[in-house]
Amino acid sequence: MTRTTYQFENGVLVPRRKLLTSALAAGAGALLGFPAIAVGKNSLKGVTLNTSLYSSPYSKLIRPWIADFEDATGAKVNFDTPGFPVYNQRADLELSTKGSAFDAVNVTFIYSSRWINSGWLTPLDEYIADPNKTPANYDAKDFLEGTLAPERGTDGKLYGIPWQAEVTIAAASRFDALKQAGFAFPQTTQELEQVSKALNRKEGAAGFVTDNHYGWTFVPFLQAFGGDVFRKAPDDLFPTLDTPQAIAAAEYFARLLRESGPDGVVSYNPDQALQSIKSGKSHLSVQGQINLSQLADKSSSKVASTAAWGLVPKGPAGRFPGAAVHGWGIPVGSKNKDAAWQFIRWATSKEILQRAVAAGYGSPTRRSDIDSTVYRERQRANGYDIASLTTESIALSAKQGHMKYRTVAVYPQVDQQLNKAIELIVTNQKTPEQAMKQAQAASIAELRRAGVSI
Amino acid sequence: MPPAATAALPSIQALPTSGGMVPSRTTPAPKLTKQWQRESARSYGLGLAPALVVLGGITLLPLLTLITVSLTPLSLTNPEGTFHFNQPLGNYAQLLEDERFVHSLWVQFKLSTVGVVLQLLIGLSLALLLNTGSRVASGVRTLFLIPMVLPPIVVALIWKILYTPEISPMHALLEHWGLPVRSLIANPDTALWAIVAADVWQWFPFTMLMVLANLQMVPRDPLDAARIDGANRWQVFRYIVFPFLQRTLVVCALFRLIDSFKAFPLLYVLTNGGPGTVTEVTNFYGFIQAFNFSYWGYGSAIAVVMLVIIFALCALVSYLGRNAGERHAR
């Protein structure tokens, strides 16, 4: 199989064959949008870049395109993409030792505060401001401000370039079955439970599925019931996991999983939860839109023609979609910082992100992509506008500020407690009250241990 | 060989270094000069040095580092501020009050005990069954070795598929037979035993192989004598074969006991220590403390405690095995 190589021509990615036959070819001195004075053909020859993201649609999309970057710069890029939890553990360890194993890494949302404010990442402002390293057509201002905010440290500097803005949405795999049973798409937590129960075990599918990272999937429900993780993050980090609202939310959520989830749902990781709904073995789900938008993919989804999408259900206190941003960052220990920046700039350039969006990427971070016709069209399926659900969720998150809990340095410890608490309730090892009180006590202990004064 | 005879044998060092004939057993060993002894010791030292350096570099240094770190509250989120020895036993004191740690020890005890006992029983039983010269037995033996040579992560994935009702052929089959079973890894009453089953499946061939090798060496004479005396199969096994296998079984138990403390891929892939903490063994808890929360000092203290427990258990198992052997010899 021959591989088409690409070059950028006036900011547009053009297949090389076309370029060679084009009259414009003579003027195509810039490669990948690099200014000739900074980076040219083989300017990074001999450099090996070790880069890592967790496995995601974006990483799968750019993997084959990295060859273009290598061809243009002469660099060799090792691109490591383990699963989400494995990536985080590996990166956390590597960054904390300030090692040089990686030159460019994912700045994971949940760890962003910890990694940035511990001084484990390199500030990127100087790279962006230097015209020799970043040409004007990179247009850093094109990134949504909401996606840049979590990438900034307490010093106001930028430590990551966002490549993914993910929000939680809801989806139904068999909307036809749902309508047949006389239901509309569930808009509230009450309706979600009602529909899940009614459809459970119908058509050989469970009523509701979500993944067992409850520190991510449960929190929209916790907040919808009027609860929260902390009293007022990031200023007041006293945990609030044992309030009546939090206990009610945990009871509701665990009941939803226990009574309407597939057998063994507490052992479902994100991939399993996604597979379950893509194969039509679960009716309803609340997950990240990066996953649920894949229901529309005819090549891998059995429910592409029957799927429906909506916002996360509204609870007594309102609607609180989860939102997460992931970015590219440079570890402080990297020995190839300049080359790493060139790679990040390439991987988050307008051209590459446009190309990803054209290929179906559903979580862009650039305003130009979100507003583009290509994105809007690609994110439309069965009459549903998934892009609108995404932007509406991002807007809600920005307006309500309810995601602040997630970017405090000690959230990973509390996240663990939430995971355990929900598992304990679903499997009837503890009552909601017992489990949430235990999570509260453990979280307080962990926060104090981490030096947080509460 | 009688002890008297062995005593008369010259030591290796007593043998001439060049030429000459090997002295007969009655010839007294030539007196070694001090210089020769020094030379000999030096060559031993030089010969062993590279191996000792490597061993020290890759084993002792990390071990000393582990012990040192366990005496500090080192947290990687603030390494400069937390690498101190103000309270050298602080982590250990905290461990005593840490309910989750104590619980993890209990889980570890159940996993190790049940797992190792089952592996020994199944391995021993199958070795006895397959201890024949037939081609079928030989083929079956080879089949049984497959789980042992698979990478642990592959084994974990195989069992993840088997234990996930939505995609599991095992669950589908049971349902087809009218015996539906709920997810074993999501049920707190069965999750640990589901992991034990997977662990046993992977490692019983180790015991089987060791015992089989040992069975090939059982001397024929006592077996024939016992049969002539009218001993039945059970008695032959109980009084002749089993005592002969005892030391091998102790070695297997030791190996598997040590390995059971390192059980990680199965737990990580199948249950992640859950549901709740029912399958959270000690090393998994140490992993969470060190790698999820960045408390390296505390994680190291957990590792040191595990090391001490493993040493103690190994000593105990060896002692029991030795005692049993001596009792049998008497």
Side-chain angles (χ1 to χ4, degrees):
Chain A
M1 197 178 78
T2 57
R3 183 168 57 82
T4 305
T5 56
Y6 289 82
Q7 281 185 250
F8 286 106
E9 170 63 21
N10 297 338
V12 179
L13 198 70
V14 187
R16 193 172 163 75
R17 281 169 307 185
K18 183 181 171 186
L19 189 80
L20 292 171
T21 56
S22 149
L24 294 167
L31 293 158
L32 307 165
F34 295 142
I37 48 166
V39 178
K41 182 78 176 164
N42 289 334
S43 61
L44 301 179
K45 196 167 175 60
V47 174
T48 297
L49 285 171
N50 293 307
T51 66
S52 188
L53 289 186
Y54 66 88
S55 178
S56 70
Y58 168 79
S59 61
K60 286 180 184 128
L61 280 169
I62 70 163
R63 180 179 289 284
W65 304 341
I66 287 174
D68 302 338
F69 175 82
E70 290 176 320
D71 287 348
T73 61
K76 167 148 183 30
V77 180
N78 296 321
F79 187 44
D80 183 36
T81 55
F84 189 69
V86 174
Y87 168 80
N88 289 330
Q89 272 146 9
R90 200 178 291 174
D92 198 40
L93 177 64
E94 182 55 34
L95 289 167
S96 62
T97 56
K98 297 186 180 174
S100 58
F102 291 120
D103 299 302
V105 292
N106 179 57
V107 184
T108 305
F109 190 54
I110 189 173
Y111 289 94
S112 56
S113 175
R114 170 152 123 184
W115 292 354
I116 290 169
N117 297 319
S118 297
W120 298 347
L121 292 164
T122 308
L124 303 176
D125 306 74
E126 285 173 27
Y127 290 101
I128 294 169
D130 185 344
N132 288 330
K133 291 176 179 172
T134 309
N137 68 0
Y138 179 69
D139 192 8
K141 289 188 171 65
D142 187 35
F143 290 101
L144 294 172
E145 181 49 38
T147 65
L148 291 170
E151 307 296 335
R152 287 203 178 92
T154 48
D155 56 5
K157 291 178 179 170
L158 188 72
Y159 289 84
I161 301 292
W163 56 266
Q164 177 179 301
E166 187 182 13
V167 295
T168 47
I169 58 171
S173 62
R174 298 284 317 276
F175 194 53
D176 54 334
L178 206 117
K179 281 194 293 190
Q180 244 170 21
F183 293 110
F185 194 93
Q187 291 298 328
T188 66
T189 49
Q190 199 180 354
E191 286 171 11
L192 178 68
E193 186 174 25
Q194 193 186 4
V195 177
S196 299
K197 250 184 175 165
L199 292 178
N200 193 31
R201 312 288 167 232
K202 299 281 190 307
E203 314 269 341
F208 176 82
V209 71
T210 193
D211 73 72
N212 64 0
H213 181 189
Y214 302 123
W216 167 245
T217 52
F218 163 62
V219 179
F221 294 90
L222 169 69
Q223 293 175 324
F225 273 70
D228 210 334
V229 179
F230 302 110
R231 207 180 273 153
K232 195 166 177 44
D235 310 315
D236 182 352
L237 294 184
F238 191 84
T240 51
L241 305 180
D242 62 348
T243 60
Q245 295 89 338
I247 292 166
E251 187 169 9
Y252 162 88
F253 188 72
R255 192 171 60 239
L256 189 64
L257 290 174
R258 190 172 46 238
E259 293 177 6
S260 304
D263 187 14
V265 66
V266 288
S267 67
Y268 274 43
N269 61 31
D271 288 342
Q272 279 178 281
L274 173 62
Q275 207 46 46
S276 179
I277 192 157
K278 267 173 100 173
S279 59
K281 288 185 172 166
S282 290
H283 282 286
L284 292 161
S285 185
V286 170
Q287 289 181 55
Q289 108 283 1
I290 197 160
N291 280 350
L292 292 182
S293 60
Q294 292 178 47
L295 295 186
D297 177 16
K298 290 184 174 68
S299 64
S300 66
S301 168
K302 287 184 178 175
V303 295
S305 59
T306 57
W309 295 264
L311 293 168
V312 294
K314 196 195 293 190
R319 206 188 294 272
F320 297 87
V325 173
H326 297 279
W328 276 107
I330 302 174
V332 75
S334 165
K335 299 274 192 288
N336 297 304
K337 289 193 177 74
D338 282 5
W341 170 247
Q342 297 309 332
F343 175 77
I344 290 174
R345 191 160 66 71
W346 168 84
T348 56
S349 63
K350 277 187 172 178
E351 295 78 10
I352 286 296
L353 292 181
Q354 272 170 22
R355 193 175 167 188
V357 163
Y361 183 54
S363 303
T365 48
R366 284 182 173 271
R367 167 66 60 196
S368 56
D369 287 326
I370 288 167
D371 292 342
S372 71
T373 317
V374 177
Y375 173 66
R376 294 279 163 180
E377 283 308 312
R378 288 295 311 229
Q379 294 298 304
R380 212 180 292 280
N382 304 339
Y384 291 89
D385 185 352
I386 304 167
S388 287
L389 295 174
T390 305
T391 47
E392 196 176 334
S393 298
I394 290 172
L396 259 177
S397 170
K399 184 177 148 198
Q400 295 171 164
H402 60 261
M403 289 309 295
K404 285 177 182 160
Y405 77 90
R406 208 172 173 79
T407 56
V408 299
V410 288
Y411 183 67
Q413 281 92 316
V414 183
D415 176 86
Q416 251 267 334
Q417 300 305 332
L418 281 173
N419 290 344
K420 293 291 167 201
I422 298 298
E423 281 181 17
L424 290 169
I425 305 166
V426 175
T427 55
N428 288 319
Q429 293 180 74
K430 283 194 175 356
T431 65
E433 193 172 358
Q434 288 169 336
M436 294 307 274
K437 280 194 186 303
Q438 180 181 291
Q440 171 77 0
S443 296
I444 290 171
E446 286 294 348
L447 294 176
R448 285 192 175 136
R449 188 177 166 195
V452 178
S453 55
I454 46 172
Chain B
M1 194 178 289
T6 51
L9 279 174
S11 68
I12 296 273
Q13 289 139 315
L15 296 176
T17 49
S18 62
M21 287 176 60
V22 176
S24 73
R25 289 190 183 180
T26 51
T27 315
K31 198 169 180 188
L32 299 171
T33 62
K34 279 191 177 174
Q35 190 192 347
W36 194 91
Q37 280 180 318
R38 273 201 306 274
E39 296 264 335
S40 172
R42 202 175 58 174
S43 23
Y44 272 114
L46 285 172
L48 285 173
L52 286 172
V53 167
V54 170
L55 187 73
I58 64 173
T59 307
L60 295 177
L61 266 178
L63 181 65
L64 287 172
T65 308
L66 179 83
I67 293 166
T68 308
V69 169
S70 79
L71 303 174
T72 75
L74 178 63
S75 164
L76 288 188
T77 51
N78 179 17
E80 289 85 3
T82 51
F83 192 77
H84 57 73
F85 297 89
N86 297 354
Q87 276 187 296
L89 297 178
N91 288 324
Y92 295 96
Q94 198 179 330
L95 278 178
L96 293 174
E97 295 167 9
D98 187 341
E99 284 177 21
R100 201 163 152 183
F101 169 72
V102 175
H103 169 77
S104 79
L105 285 174
W106 172 235
V107 176
Q108 182 73 65
F109 172 77
K110 287 191 285 185
L111 179 89
S112 298
T113 311
V114 178
V116 171
V117 168
L118 282 175
Q119 284 163 45
L120 291 180
L121 286 175
I122 295 170
L124 174 65
S125 309
L126 284 168
L128 291 168
L129 282 172
L130 296 172
N131 187 32
T132 66
S134 80
R135 279 187 183 179
V136 175
S138 171
V140 173
R141 270 202 299 263
T142 312
L143 273 179
F144 277 137
L145 295 183
I146 291 172
M148 196 174 78
V149 297
L150 289 173
I153 199 74
V154 173
V155 172
L157 288 170
I158 288 170
W159 285 90
K160 178 82 174 179
I161 291 165
L162 280 174
Y163 285 148
T164 304
E166 247 183 25
I167 54 171
S168 165
M170 179 180 81
H171 279 271
L173 208 60
L174 287 168
E175 197 151 337
H176 179 71
W177 290 338
L179 301 163
V181 174
R182 301 282 294 169
S183 170
L184 296 170
I185 50 173
N187 178 343
D189 298 327
T190 56
L192 185 64
W193 310 124
I195 286 170
V196 167
D199 194 40
V200 168
W201 176 82
Q202 186 181 11
W203 287 112
F204 80 81
F206 174 75
T207 305
M208 188 189 82
L209 203 63
M210 298 276 279
V211 173
L212 259 172
N214 209 208
L215 281 171
Q216 316 283 318
M217 296 189 295
V218 176
R220 299 291 318 164
D221 294 353
L223 292 173
D224 293 340
R227 283 184 188 120
I228 290 164
D229 287 345
N232 61 28
R233 290 185 108 172
W234 168 247
Q235 287 169 322
V236 169
F237 172 74
R238 169 74 182 81
Y239 295 106
I240 297 169
V241 177
F242 185 71
F244 192 82
L245 298 175
Q246 213 156 10
R247 282 173 192 258
T248 302
L249 289 170
V250 167
V251 169
C252 288
L254 274 176
F255 271 101
R256 292 307 311 137
L257 194 64
I258 292 166
D259 267 354
S260 73
F261 271 80
K262 296 188 287 186
F264 190 85
L266 278 174
L267 291 153
Y268 188 79
V269 172
L270 293 179
T271 61
N272 207 26
T277 52
V278 289
T279 60
E280 197 173 81
V281 293
T282 314
N283 77 334
F284 198 83
Y285 183 55
F287 165 82
I288 287 169
Q289 289 294 332
F291 294 92
N292 280 11
F293 301 164
S294 292
Y295 295 132
W296 272 39
Y298 199 61
S300 301
I302 291 170
V304 170
V305 169
M306 277 179 64
L307 203 64
V308 171
I309 291 170
I310 290 170
F311 270 119
L313 281 173
C314 290
L316 180 70
V317 172
S318 298
Y319 171 77
L320 292 175
R322 208 171 37 244
N323 264 16
E326 282 164 8
R327 270 202 310 276
H328 171 71
R330 283 198 295 271

